[in-house]
Every structure is written in structure tokens, then in C-alpha cells.
Amino acid sequence: MNNTSRGRLLKHAFALLLTLCSNHIASAEVVPVPLTVKAEKIEAAKPRNVVFILSDDHRYDAMSFMGHPLAKTPHMDAMAKNGAHLKNAFVTTSLCSPSRASILTGLYTFRHRVIDNQRAVPDGTLFFPQYLQKAGYKTGFIGKWHMGHANDDPRPGFDFWFSFKGQGQYYPPGPQYTINDNGKRVPQDGYITPLLTRKAIEFLEQQTDRDKPFFLYLSHKAVHDPFTPEPKYKDSLKDQPYEFPASSELLKDNLKNRPRWLLDQRNSWHGMDFALHTGQSVEGFYKRYCEALRSVDDSIGAVVQQLKMMGIYEETLVIYMGDNGFMFGEHGLFDKRVAYETSSRVPMLMQCPAIIKGGTVVEEVVANIDIAPTVMQAMGLKKPPHMDGQSFLPLAQLPPAQRETIPWRDYFLYVYYWEQNYPQTPTHFCLRGDQYKYTTYYGLWDTDELFDIKADPKEQNNLIYDPALAKTKQQMQSRLYEMMEELGGMEIPMNPPRGRQQNKRLRSRDGVKGADFPEAMVVDEPLREIK
């Protein structure tokens, strides 16, 4: 591409992004999800092929180009080198099904109402691939759907379907175990990650009509627990040195004003002292996790190689993302769900050599709700007005100096709704700005949290009781509820309990008593006298 062509492209992208952002900001009312699918094409746009690859529980920093001590990810590194690293990517709820529903709908959790991992998507939900189908594009879904455990039937919006029930299995648990292959029951052929990769390549090989764009959604089970590496990578990190994060320090008192639920959760299914109720070291889990990640990285490499063999590598947009983060000792926790950075932040990479310059770094906060508008724009379709997200494609195309002048989100909203299955984590709402991050734990007699994420990126110094930041706290709280109201999130969605309750504690690790109240909430003298 010559400089003149690239200049025209950047000018067009800049104008389009201004339009997209202006429309988003000007819309104060939530647009209801329509009853029918109407695909509107962007005038004069060139529809591109898109491959979207999703992994499970991949934390934002577990890539070797980021200096991670355990992760080995040469193909992810290549994507960052040849395309863009969206370094501040987040999910609106750090949990498999809610995050996947936000990806497929472009909606916040309280709008699509998939609030846990137990239910199917409500009737009437629209998935963005339905718009792609309506426009005449070929679509394929391969891998983990995980919105409801009941069945693995093909879902609306996909021409090609290869999936399994619920979480799926790394290895088939028995000879009767089967996967849905385009409506037929077939045995699972060995370890799941390369199997899904082979099916993805099968779909790609079928796309012989160069005038008909396609969308491939490759959704891996890995690296969800139980972390099970492919045999060739098993124990490859066993003897690697490892240090626990500083935030894993056991707090015997509560002088740091941390929430009681947080300190109590350390000894739980989702805590580092009783992780998955095993009592095993988090270090071993972490190493197996990074070993299993190697196969996901191999999958990316195989898909990219297939695009090269088909002669469509340069023009195809490839996006890689994790569905949520994961903690291995941060804040004393294990797993996700919470608003802390290591839980809510995810890896995101994007490449398309024809339109994205290699080595691009996008600093702006992007989210899972932005995937649908981004894919649709790349494929030449307008974003439906009911979606909450925005396309971030132009951010990766524009030079940093121009990106800074365009409107983008000032605050990022995070929500999580309490599950009876895992009662350790409360309902909470979080507002993340450029400098400060405010989280309220709804309905608990406990402390909220305010962090200066610029000065304290590991979120260790709770500033909620700092008199100098009282105004900041109030402003953040007010803006949080304003955004919730603007976006239609002021009602808490609820579901009847379903599934097992993992509510046990280990006696030998201070499992009998609860944590101390935050120091700032305790007084030594009465505060008032009634006469």
C-alpha cells in the first residue's frame, strides 16, 4: 500500500470514527433490542474476512512479549509485532457466560441478562453473526459456547457449527462422549485444542468463493481449569522458578482497610489457601495453566498459516482475545469474577497487514462489548443502534496523535452479580477512569474501594477513607450510578439458584473465624449521646 492510499484510508477511518463516537455519545437513551435482524451496509466499504479467536481465562499479562516469567507465546508475540496490541482491554463481567454473551450481543450484562454460567441465553437475544448472515456472509462457530449446559445445538447466526455442552472436556471422558458436528453426534478425537484448530482449518478450506466474505469464531476451552496441558507441553515448566505476587501477602489484621469479604475469600474455593477446595499450591496450577496456553498459541499460528496458504493473509482481520482474566494469588485470590485488574483485564491482539501497521499499540480502554461493532464494521456493516459497544478498528488504524483528539469512553463500567454457587464474591459495581477506580460492594456491611490506578496499579492502597479524596469518591460514585441509569442497569437481574454451592473453608488455615473489620470502620468511643 503506498503512502497516498494509506493517507486516504486514515482520513476515511478518522471521519468514520468521529461519526461513530458522536452517535454513541449523543444517544442518552437505551435503544431496545429489535425483534428482527436488519443488516445495513456501510456505503463504499470493502467487506473483509474476519477470524475471531477466543480463549478462556487468559490473563492480560500472560504473553511472552510482555515479559511474563512462565508464558511462552511466539504466535501471540507475532500478532503484536505484525499488528496491534490493545493493551487496555477489559470485560464488563469477568465470568465465562456473561462475557461471551457481551461479545456476541454487544450489550452490557444487565441488558443481555446472562448473569451466571448456569442459564441459556434468554429468548429473543440477537447475536451479531445473524447480521452477517443476513448480509450474505458465511459464518462458522467452533468450540466452547457455554451459555447454558443443557445442549450443544447449533445457535442462530452460524452456517458451520462444531461445539459441545457446557465447559466441555480436555479429553473425552469415555467412549460415549460426543460433540455436535453440524447437527451430527461425533466422538471427541483426542485433546480438545488441536481438534478445534483442525475444525477451524476445515471451515477455512471451504471458503473458496473470494467474492463472499466469511466470519470464523474459534472459541477455545483452554485455559480453563482443570488446567490440562497437551502431552508435549506437560511438565515443561515444572522446575521453572516462580515468585508469588506481593499482593498475595497474608493480612492478619485489617489496617489496610480491605473488604472483609476479600480477606475471607482467601480461604475458599476461589482463594489461594483453599483453591478449588484442594489445598494445593497455586504455583502448580499456574504452571499447568501456562503449559496449556502453549496449545492455544499453536492454534493461532496454525490459523494464520492457513490464511497465508489461501493467499488471504494480508486482507483478513484476525482478532485474539481472552474471555476474562485470572488471578493466581493476587489479593490472595484464585479465579476471576472480581473487578480487580488481573481479573477484569484481558489480552487483545489484532492484525490485518493491509490496514493496520505492525507494532501498533492502542492505549484506549476497549471492551468485549466492542467486538460486535468492530467485526461488523470490518465486514462493511453498520452497528445496530441497540448495541452498547463501539468499533475500535479505527483506533488501530490511526496514528497516536490523531487518536488522542477523538472522543472515546472516559469511564469503563464493570458489574458482577452474586451467585449462590460461589457465595464468596458479592454483587459489585465498578467505575474505572483514567486515574481512579471506584468499586462498591452492593448490600454488604463492608468497605468500598477507591484506587489510584496510575500510582497504585496493583490496587493495594484503598483510598476510600482519605479525606483529601472525599470529593473524588463522591464524584465517582455519582457517575457510576448515572451511567448505570443511562445504560439501563439500575435493576439487579436475579435467577433462582442452580448448581452446587462451593461454600467451604479449611479449618487449619484460620477457617473458623471471619476477617477483622476495616480499621477505619472501628471506633474507640461512642459517637453520640441520646438524652
Side-chain angles (χ1 to χ4, degrees):
M1 181 182 292
N2 59 39
N3 291 336
T4 303
S5 299
R6 183 174 291 276
R8 285 200 205 99
L9 178 65
L10 292 175
K11 185 177 179 181
H12 174 71
F14 182 71
L16 179 59
L17 183 58
L18 283 175
T19 302
L20 290 169
C21 293
S22 298
N23 289 343
H24 177 82
I25 293 168
S27 177
E29 294 184 3
V30 173
V31 177
V33 176
L35 298 177
T36 57
V37 175
K38 183 180 179 181
E40 294 188 50
K41 295 191 176 183
I42 300 171
E43 186 178 351
K46 176 189 175 182
R48 296 190 173 278
N49 304 315
V50 178
V51 176
F52 177 67
I53 304 175
L54 184 71
S55 62
D56 197 307
D57 288 352
H58 185 189
R59 37 185 291 153
Y60 80 96
D61 61 346
M63 295 181 286
S64 45
F65 77 88
M66 294 192 70
H68 194 272
L70 298 174
K72 298 179 186 296
T73 58
H75 299 294
M76 295 180 198
D77 300 352
M79 281 194 73
K81 180 180 178 180
N82 299 323
H85 176 209
L86 296 98
K87 64 181 296 186
N88 288 306
F90 290 82
V91 293
T92 53
T93 298
S94 182
L95 186 59
C96 296
S97 291
S99 180
R100 289 159 189 267
S102 288
I103 288 169
L104 280 160
T105 64
L107 301 176
Y108 279 102
T109 305
F110 42 73
R111 292 195 63 203
H112 60 61
R113 302 185 78 82
V114 180
I115 62 171
D116 60 27
N117 285 342
Q118 315 303 324
R119 333 281 151 167
V121 176
D123 292 339
T125 302
L126 293 184
F127 308 125
F128 78 84
Q130 291 175 259
Y131 289 87
L132 308 183
Q133 268 189 333
K134 193 76 170 179
Y137 306 147
K138 282 292 183 181
T139 59
F141 182 88
I142 294 161
K144 177 178 173 178
W145 179 261
H146 198 218
M147 281 171 277
H149 294 288
N151 65 69
D152 53 17
D153 296 341
R155 300 312 203 269
F158 296 100
D159 304 305
F160 186 104
W161 181 265
F162 186 83
S163 189
F164 40 77
K165 296 179 182 179
Q167 291 281 1
Q169 305 284 339
Y170 279 103
Y171 288 99
Q176 304 303 315
Y177 182 77
T178 58
I179 286 177
N180 190 321
D181 185 351
N182 290 296
K184 297 179 182 179
R185 307 306 314 177
V186 299
Q188 178 176 326
D189 182 14
Y191 187 74
I192 192 64
T193 307
L195 171 59
L196 298 180
T197 305
R198 293 196 298 272
K199 295 303 291 188
I201 291 174
E202 178 184 322
F203 171 82
L204 291 173
E205 289 174 336
Q206 295 176 9
Q207 311 312 308
T208 56
D209 186 349
R210 291 292 181 264
D211 295 324
K212 197 166 190 177
F214 64 80
F215 171 67
L216 170 61
Y217 189 137
L218 173 54
S219 179
H220 283 293
K221 169 184 172 54
V223 284
H224 198 281
D225 76 82
F227 313 119
T228 307
E230 199 173 350
K232 64 181 178 180
Y233 294 126
K234 186 178 180 182
D235 293 332
S236 59
L237 297 173
K238 184 178 178 181
D239 298 323
Q240 282 288 106
Y242 172 76
E243 293 183 8
F244 284 105
S247 65
S248 67
E249 176 191 0
L250 176 63
L251 302 178
K252 280 292 189 179
D253 49 38
N254 203 350
L255 299 178
K256 291 189 175 182
N257 294 314
R258 304 309 303 273
R260 286 190 296 160
W261 71 263
L262 172 65
L263 302 186
D264 283 337
Q265 190 172 120
R266 184 186 180 102
N267 186 337
S268 77
W269 179 276
H270 288 150
M272 66 178 293
D273 285 352
F274 201 15
L276 305 179
H277 285 174
T278 65
Q280 294 173 239
S281 170
V282 168
E283 178 179 346
F285 286 132
Y286 205 172
K287 290 180 177 179
R288 289 195 293 275
Y289 167 96
C290 289
E291 290 167 353
L293 183 63
R294 295 286 300 274
S295 299
V296 175
D297 189 71
D298 287 346
S299 178
I300 294 172
V303 168
V304 169
Q305 180 60 30
Q306 179 62 30
L307 295 176
K308 290 180 178 179
M309 290 173 60
M310 294 169 67
I312 56 174
Y313 167 76
E314 294 281 332
E315 65 198 59
T316 300
L317 177 65
V318 181
I319 302 173
Y320 171 74
M321 179 185 177
D323 71 340
N324 46 248
F326 207 87
M327 295 173 293
F328 286 96
E330 287 84 3
H331 308 279
L333 301 185
F334 177 88
D335 191 67
K336 59 257 185 177
R337 288 175 167 81
V338 294
Y340 296 123
E341 298 281 291
T342 322
S343 168
S344 60
R345 194 171 169 189
V346 294
M348 189 181 289
L349 304 165
M350 179 165 65
Q351 70 170 45
C352 183
I355 58 173
I356 298 173
K357 183 180 179 182
T360 295
V361 177
V362 175
E363 298 279 353
E364 287 81 359
V365 171
V366 300
N368 51 358
I369 55 173
D370 300 328
I371 293 294
T374 301
V375 173
M376 292 184 71
Q377 184 192 346
M379 300 193 78
L381 299 180
K382 294 180 181 179
K383 183 193 86 168
H386 72 275
M387 287 185 178
D388 295 320
Q390 311 166 231
S391 172
F392 52 72
L393 183 58
L395 292 179
Q397 296 175 267
L398 295 174
Q402 286 183 308
R403 276 184 245 151
E404 293 173 1
T405 65
I406 61 176
W408 194 250
R409 56 174 60 94
D410 295 319
Y411 293 102
F412 177 71
L413 180 64
Y414 179 92
V415 302
Y416 170 80
Y417 298 100
W418 178 83
E419 307 165 83
Q420 184 175 357
N421 313 72
Y422 303 101
Q424 306 91 349
T425 307
T427 291
H428 58 282
F429 309 116
C430 176
L431 188 69
R432 187 187 190 277
D434 181 53
Q435 179 170 3
Y436 293 104
K437 180 176 177 181
Y438 167 74
T439 307
T440 182
Y441 300 102
Y442 196 81
L444 284 189
W445 187 23
D446 211 332
T447 183
D448 290 341
E449 292 184 290
L450 178 68
F451 296 109
D452 182 339
I453 51 178
K454 282 190 173 179
D456 179 26
K458 303 297 185 184
E459 300 168 294
Q460 292 300 288
N461 186 19
N462 183 14
L463 304 173
I464 201 77
Y465 301 108
D466 187 338
L469 292 173
K471 186 176 180 180
T472 299
K473 177 258 181 184
Q474 188 57 51
Q475 289 173 338
M476 294 287 285
Q477 183 182 70
S478 297
R479 184 63 188 130
L480 169 65
Y481 286 102
E482 286 170 3
M483 281 188 68
M484 294 281 285
E485 187 164 12
E486 290 168 4
L487 296 165
M490 287 298 282
E491 295 180 3
I492 294 180
M494 297 177 66
N495 280 327
R498 182 183 294 173
R500 294 178 299 170
Q501 190 175 30
Q502 307 292 0
N503 62 353
K504 302 299 185 286
R505 287 167 62 82
L506 191 60
R507 184 185 301 274
S508 62
R509 294 185 178 172
D510 297 325
V512 178
K513 296 181 179 180
D516 294 336
F517 269 93
E519 179 66 17
M521 293 177 63
V522 180
V523 298
D524 296 315
E525 301 289 341
L527 299 181
R528 58 192 295 237
E529 179 181 352
I530 299 177
K531 296 183 179 179

